[in-house]
Amino acid sequence: MLIPESWLRALVDPAMNTEELAHLLTMSGLEVESCTPVAPPFSGIVVGEVLTVAKHPNADKLSLCSVSTGKGEPLQIVCGAPNVRAGMKAPLAIVGAKLPGLEIKAAKMRGVESQGMLCSARELGMSEDHSGLLELPAGAQAGADVREVLALDDQVFEIKLTPNKADCLSVLGVAREVAALTRAKLVAPDVKAVAAKSEAKLAFGITDAEGCGRFTGRVIRDVNAKAPTPDWMRQRLERAGQRSISALVDVTNYVMLELGRPLHVYDQDKVSGAIDVRWGRPGEKLKLLNEQVVDVDGEVLCIADGSGPIGLAGIMGGDSTKADLETKNIFLESAFFFPEAIAGRARRYNFASDASHRFERGVDFDNNVAGIERATQLVIEICGGEPGPTVDLVRKLPERKAVTMRIARAQKVIGVPVTADEMADIFTRLSLPFVRSADGFTVTPPSYRFDIQIEEDLIEEVARIYGFERIPANPPTAPAVMHAEPESHRSLHTLRAQLAGRDYQEVVNFSFVDAGWEAGLAGNADPIRLLNPIASHQSVMRSTLIGGLVENIRYNAARKQSRIRIFEVGRAFLRDASVKDGPLTVAGLHQPMRVAAAAYGTADEEQWGTPARPVDFYDLKADVEALVWPRQARFEAAPHPALHPGRSARVLVDGLPLGWLGELHPRWQAMFELPQPVVAFELDAASLKSVPVPRPEHPSRFPPVVRDLAVLVDAALPVQALLDAVLAEKPAIVRSVGLFDLYQGKNLPVGRKSLAFRIVMQDTEKTLTDAEADSAIAQMVELLGRRFGATLRS
C-alpha cells in the first residue's frame, strides 16, 4: 500500500523525520518496504507562463514561445510539445538547470536560439508520460520553484501489510497507528452530515443478510460529471497509486484511501427498479467495469436490480449502471459485506480489486454513513448537485466479543515485566475500550479491528506499542541436553542423506494438487478439497507424492535436462474416520509422512566406462532395497493406477505393505508429454524410520561349501514362493539361497521354466563333508518337489 507522507502528516504530524517515522512503522509491524521521493533531485526548474506561441520559421513541428518567469524579460524557448499554448503554465528549465542526467545550456535549434526548455513529466522524472508539457495549476506563481509548487519533496511510503492489519488499509488507519506509537495528536478528517435538499431516494433491500449486513445509500441529483478533479485530489490519488478517471470515480477512490471505506457510484437513471443484495442465480451473467463478462451462481454475492445482477458485491460494479461523463443523477452505495462472503470470489474470476482486498479482510461496519457523508461533501464541492436523504439499512452486524488478557500471561509471553498501568495506557492509545480487573483486562474490539479475537492478539498489541526494540534479546537459560538417538530409529534426515548419496536431488512441492491427478494417479475419487484454493489446479490435498515429482520431471525435461533423479519427503493427506482431534491430529484426517523418488533418462551420468542405457525398474528396486536395509524388502506384482500394469510392484517389509514401485503408466507419460518412461517409488516414512538393533554373530572359521541347484517348475509360479519355502525349512547348515539364473525356451517341457539357485553352506564348528552337503541339497530338492512339484533339471 502506498501512503504519501504529506497526506499522512496532514492527519498526524509526529516530531520525527521521514527515516525515523519509517523505522517506527516497520518496528511496530507495518513494514515500510521502501520510501521514495515523488520526483528525483533536480534544480533550476521554475514555473513558466507561456505568453505567446508562434511557428518556428525553419521547422513545422517546433514552436517558438515567449515564456515569462515573473521577472525580467520573457525568455525565448523552442518547444516541440503538441499541447503548448498561450496562457498555460508549465515547468521551465532555465539555463544552468540540472535535470536527471541532463544540464540545460543555451542552444540553437534549427537556427533559432532557445534559452531553456519547457518540460514534460518524464523529463522531471515524475512519470513516463512525455505526450506533452506537464501543465501546472493556473494559480501557480510564475518564477516559483516547481518543487515547492508540486510538493515534489514529498515521500511515498510503500507499506507491506500482513493480512490481519485490515484496519491500516487507509491513511486514517495508518495515522491511528502513528498517533498511538508517538502520542502525537490525531486530526481525523472532518466529516459532517450534509443536509438533504430533496426527497429523492432509490429503493433498496437486503435479501441475504448473511452476506450483506448493512447497506447505506444516497441519491444526488443534477451533478456535473464533467467537472475536473481538483489538482490536490488528483495529486494525492496518483501518489497513492490510483489513476485519476473522472471526478465522481475519483471521489469514491479518495474516500476509500482516506477512510478505508469502499464506495460505489451508480448512474441512477440506468438502475431498473429497486436494488437488492442477494446471492447469484445459476445462468446469470454480468459485464463488469473492466469489460469482463462473468457467470454468477449461488456462491457469489450480487447487487441486483429488476434486470438482474448489476455488480459483484464488494468486488466490482457492473458496466450497465456505471456513472460516466453524461451522468446527471447518481446513487452512492456504502455497504458492509461479511469477509466470508467475499473471500476468494475475485480470484475465482482471475482478477483482484481494491474493494475486494479490503472487504475480504474486514471493513469497518460503523463508518458506512460517514463514508457517504464524506463522499457527498466532495461531490457537491466538485460537481455540485442536490443531495437526497441518507438511507441506512442495517440487517445484521458482526458481534463484538470481548477478549480477556491476563497480565501474568502477557508478561510471560513478551518476556518483559510490562506493568498493568503501561498496558492500560497502551489500550487507551489504541482506542481499545477495556475493563480492568485485578489480574487482567477485558477488551471489546472496535468495529474496525477484525484481528482481535483471542488473548494472544491483545498480547501482540501490547508488545507492538511497548516496542519490540525494548524487549531484550536474552539467550535461553534452559540447559541444552543432547539425547542419544536410539539404535532402532533413524531420522528423516538420515533417509534424505541416503537418497542424496544415491544421486537424487531433493525437491519440495505444494501439498495442493490438481483434482485430476488425485483421480488418475491415486485412484482417489473423494479427495480432501480446499475451501479456498489458491488456484484452480491446486484445489485438493494430495494423497500421493508421485504427481508432483512427475510434474518436476516434465518441467526439467522440457528444458533439455536428459537425466533427472529427484526425491521428496512430505505428507500425504487421507480421509480416516478413526482419527480423532488431538494436539497433532485433525479429526477424520490421516497425514502420513512419505518418501518418494523418481528417475528419468539414463541410469548413469554420461561416461566412457559404461554404455548409456535408460533407467529401469531394477535400478530403483536396488535403491529401495538400499533404503530399507538392514531389513529385507519383498516385491509383489500388483496394479497401481499411476503405474504401468506390467511393471509395478507392491513393496512389503516383514509381511506388511511399505509402498509401491514401478514405471509410470504410458497414459500418464503421454499426458505429461514425456518422451521416455519415468520410474518411481513411494514408501511409508514411519516404517522406514524403524530399523532392527544390530545383533552380533560369531563368524565361522571353516570354509563354505557352494552348490548350484537347477529345478524345473510351473512357469506361472513366482520365485519368491520357492525362496520363502526354502528359507523357512532349510537345513541348519544352509546360510543363504539366491537365484542366479532363469531360463524359458527350447528344450523345456511346455508350461515349465528353469530356475537355478546358488546355495552356500557352512558350519561354525567344523568343516562340512561332501556327504553332509549332499544330504542338505537332497532335503531341499525333496522340499521343492513336495511343495511345488519341482524336478531336477537334467
Side-chain angles (χ1 to χ4, degrees):
M1 181 177 178
L2 301 179
I3 300 287
E5 184 182 7
S6 60
W7 195 354
L8 178 62
R9 288 189 181 272
L11 302 186
V12 59
D13 191 9
M16 55 179 59
N17 60 33
T18 302
E19 184 178 344
E20 292 169 340
L21 179 57
H23 179 74
L24 179 67
L25 287 171
T26 298
M27 293 308 299
S28 67
L30 278 64
E31 181 183 355
V32 178
E33 288 195 301
S34 65
C35 181
T36 56
V38 172
F42 57 76
S43 62
I45 314 298
V46 299
V47 176
E49 182 178 3
V50 181
L51 302 178
T52 62
V53 178
K55 289 187 65 64
H56 192 289
N58 302 321
D60 294 337
K61 293 185 179 182
L62 295 179
S63 300
L64 195 58
C65 306
S66 175
V67 182
S68 170
T69 61
K71 57 183 179 181
E73 294 296 321
L75 302 178
Q76 178 175 273
I77 306 294
V78 177
C79 178
N83 66 333
V84 65
R85 68 182 188 279
M88 76 175 297
K89 293 180 180 179
L92 172 64
I94 60 179
V95 174
K98 293 183 178 179
L99 291 167
L102 177 67
E103 182 173 352
I104 302 299
K105 299 179 180 179
K108 285 189 176 182
M109 300 182 68
R110 292 293 184 95
V112 177
E113 185 179 8
S114 180
Q115 297 172 304
M117 180 177 72
L118 292 170
C119 303
S120 67
R122 188 170 76 170
E123 287 155 345
L124 298 181
M126 296 173 59
S127 72
E128 291 301 313
D129 182 14
H130 62 107
S131 58
L133 299 180
L134 175 64
E135 189 159 358
L136 299 177
Q141 183 69 36
D145 190 333
V146 166
R147 295 197 74 88
E148 295 180 4
V149 171
L150 298 180
L152 297 183
D153 290 322
D154 190 11
Q155 301 282 325
V156 176
F157 296 130
E158 183 177 0
I159 301 178
K160 181 179 180 181
L161 293 173
T162 53
N164 64 314
K165 291 300 291 178
D167 61 299
C168 291
L169 284 169
S170 66
V171 179
L172 177 60
V174 177
R176 277 194 299 251
E177 287 287 307
V178 174
L181 291 165
T182 64
R183 302 181 186 271
K185 183 180 179 181
L186 175 65
V187 182
D190 185 18
V191 180
K192 296 179 180 178
V194 178
K197 294 185 178 181
S198 75
E199 294 301 318
K201 297 180 183 178
L202 178 63
F204 57 80
I206 301 173
T207 297
D208 294 302
E210 68 275 14
C212 176
R214 186 174 188 177
F215 195 96
T216 308
R218 186 173 208 169
V219 171
I220 305 178
R221 305 184 66 83
D222 298 324
V223 299
N224 177 17
K226 296 180 181 179
T229 302
D231 292 330
W232 65 267
M233 180 179 288
R234 182 185 294 110
Q235 182 184 94
R236 283 185 170 181
L237 289 173
E238 290 175 351
R239 292 180 184 182
Q242 292 285 340
R243 178 174 57 90
S244 178
I245 298 173
S246 68
L248 292 174
V249 176
D250 289 350
V251 164
T252 61
N253 286 336
Y254 184 85
V255 174
M256 177 186 69
L257 293 172
E258 182 182 54
L259 303 180
R261 162 50 55 189
L263 302 173
H264 187 64
V265 58
Y266 299 85
D267 186 326
Q268 185 195 6
D269 299 326
K270 296 178 182 178
V271 178
S272 176
I275 284 179
D276 185 28
V277 186
R278 60 170 174 80
W279 296 108
R281 296 164 184 165
E284 290 184 322
K285 293 182 179 294
L286 171 64
K287 184 178 181 181
L288 299 172
L289 290 173
N290 63 0
E291 300 187 351
Q292 179 179 347
V293 178
V294 299
D295 296 313
V296 299
D297 55 30
E299 294 184 353
V300 179
L301 195 65
C302 295
I303 309 296
D305 65 1
S307 66
I310 58 174
L312 295 180
I315 300 175
M316 186 175 288
D319 183 74
S320 63
T321 57
K322 70 179 180 181
D324 54 31
L325 297 180
E326 304 303 322
T327 296
K328 293 296 182 184
N329 305 309
I330 65 171
F331 176 70
L332 285 173
E333 168 213 305
S334 174
F336 170 74
F337 303 110
F338 285 92
E340 297 79 7
I342 306 301
R345 272 60 171 192
R347 287 192 296 276
R348 170 178 173 177
Y349 297 116
N350 296 318
F351 71 88
S353 68
D354 290 317
S356 67
H357 183 75
R358 286 162 172 80
F359 277 118
E360 65 187 10
R361 287 161 173 78
V363 169
D364 186 358
F365 54 82
D366 197 37
N367 74 345
N368 290 55
V369 174
I372 287 286
E373 298 294 350
R374 179 62 168 153
T376 303
Q377 285 178 355
L378 295 170
V379 168
I380 293 176
E381 179 184 323
I382 299 168
C383 304
E386 188 176 79
T390 298
V391 181
D392 185 24
L393 175 60
V394 180
R395 286 287 306 278
K396 179 182 178 182
L397 296 179
E399 181 183 355
R400 298 280 81 185
K401 294 182 179 180
V403 181
T404 298
M405 184 193 76
R406 295 162 290 173
I407 296 173
R409 173 65 177 167
Q411 292 172 338
K412 181 177 180 181
V413 172
I414 298 173
V416 174
V418 183
T419 66
D421 288 341
E422 287 178 299
M423 294 179 185
D425 178 60
I426 287 171
F427 291 145
T428 301
R429 289 155 61 185
L430 287 169
S431 300
L432 299 178
F434 65 89
V435 176
R436 183 172 175 177
S437 62
D439 60 349
F441 294 86
T442 299
V443 176
T444 302
S447 57
Y448 53 84
R449 293 300 298 267
F450 283 77
D451 58 318
I452 298 178
Q453 298 180 1
I454 58 176
E455 182 179 27
E456 284 71 15
D457 295 329
L458 292 176
I459 296 174
E460 179 186 5
E461 294 302 295
V462 172
R464 287 194 318 110
I465 306 302
Y466 178 80
F468 291 124
E469 291 179 307
R470 295 174 61 190
I471 301 175
N474 295 325
T477 56
V481 179
M482 295 293 292
H483 296 281
E485 186 80 11
E487 287 188 90
S488 61
H489 177 273
R490 55 183 173 180
S491 66
L492 290 175
H493 181 73
T494 300
L495 297 175
R496 289 185 173 97
Q498 284 186 260
L499 285 166
R502 298 191 72 84
D503 206 18
Y504 288 91
Q505 291 184 317
E506 185 174 10
V507 298
V508 179
N509 290 312
F510 274 113
S511 297
F512 317 136
V513 298
D514 190 282
W517 288 7
E518 277 297 293
L521 291 170
N524 186 3
D526 184 26
I528 299 167
R529 297 189 176 275
L530 299 173
L531 295 177
N532 186 22
I534 60 176
S536 59
H537 64 279
Q538 294 177 320
S539 59
V540 301
M541 303 297 289
R542 66 184 180 186
S543 62
T544 175
L545 278 58
I546 291 177
L549 295 177
V550 177
E551 171 61 22
N552 296 144
I553 288 176
R554 183 206 64 77
Y555 181 88
N556 284 277
R559 286 154 181 79
K560 308 302 181 184
Q561 297 298 311
S562 60
R563 181 175 184 268
I564 306 166
R565 293 169 67 87
I566 54 177
F567 78 93
E568 181 177 10
V569 178
R571 291 195 182 278
F573 301 85
L574 312 170
R575 295 189 186 277
D576 188 344
S578 65
V579 178
K580 306 300 181 184
D581 265 327
L584 300 176
T585 58
V586 178
L589 180 61
H590 182 43
Q591 306 177 56
M593 290 293 294
R594 298 275 178 81
V595 176
Y600 168 89
T602 57
D604 301 301
E605 290 280 6
E606 185 175 358
Q607 56 171 298
W608 58 267
T610 58
R613 64 172 181 83
V615 67
D616 59 24
F617 176 94
Y618 296 100
D619 291 312
L620 268 73
K621 179 175 179 286
D623 293 333
V624 171
E625 289 174 334
L627 201 59
V628 170
W629 190 90
R631 295 190 293 171
Q632 299 297 314
R634 288 185 54 181
F635 301 87
E636 292 183 350
H640 186 282
L643 303 178
H644 192 297
R647 300 172 188 172
S648 66
R650 180 185 289 109
V651 184
L652 300 101
V653 172
D654 300 331
L656 299 175
L658 177 66
W660 292 88
L661 164 68
E663 186 178 298
L664 188 67
H665 197 291
R667 177 179 68 251
W668 287 101
Q669 181 181 336
M671 188 174 297
F672 280 93
E673 300 178 343
L674 294 169
Q676 300 177 54
V678 173
V679 187
F681 66 79
E682 183 173 16
L683 309 174
D684 179 62
S687 299
L688 288 174
K689 290 164 68 176
S690 177
V691 292
V693 177
R695 297 178 60 185
E697 290 187 359
H698 183 66
S700 175
R701 297 182 292 110
F702 301 97
V705 176
V706 180
R707 296 285 179 89
D708 291 342
L709 174 63
V711 294
L712 296 176
V713 297
D714 289 340
L717 184 66
V719 174
Q720 191 64 51
L722 277 75
L723 290 172
D724 289 345
V726 168
L727 293 175
E729 300 183 35
K730 64 180 177 63
I733 62 174
V734 175
R735 295 299 182 194
S736 66
V737 179
L739 178 74
F740 72 89
D741 185 57
L742 163 66
Y743 175 73
Q744 290 176 295
K746 297 179 180 180
N747 303 323
L748 291 182
V750 177
R752 305 284 276 181
K753 63 182 176 182
S754 172
L755 301 175
F757 298 93
R758 179 150 294 159
I759 303 168
V760 179
M761 295 169 281
Q762 191 176 32
D763 196 304
T764 59
E765 302 295 333
K766 62 180 180 179
T767 300
L768 293 176
T769 64
D770 287 342
E772 289 172 321
D774 292 342
S775 173
I777 294 296
Q779 292 179 51
M780 295 175 64
V781 171
E782 186 276 332
L783 169 64
L784 295 175
R786 172 168 45 84
R787 293 280 301 274
F788 306 105
T791 60
L792 284 172
R793 180 181 175 186
S794 56

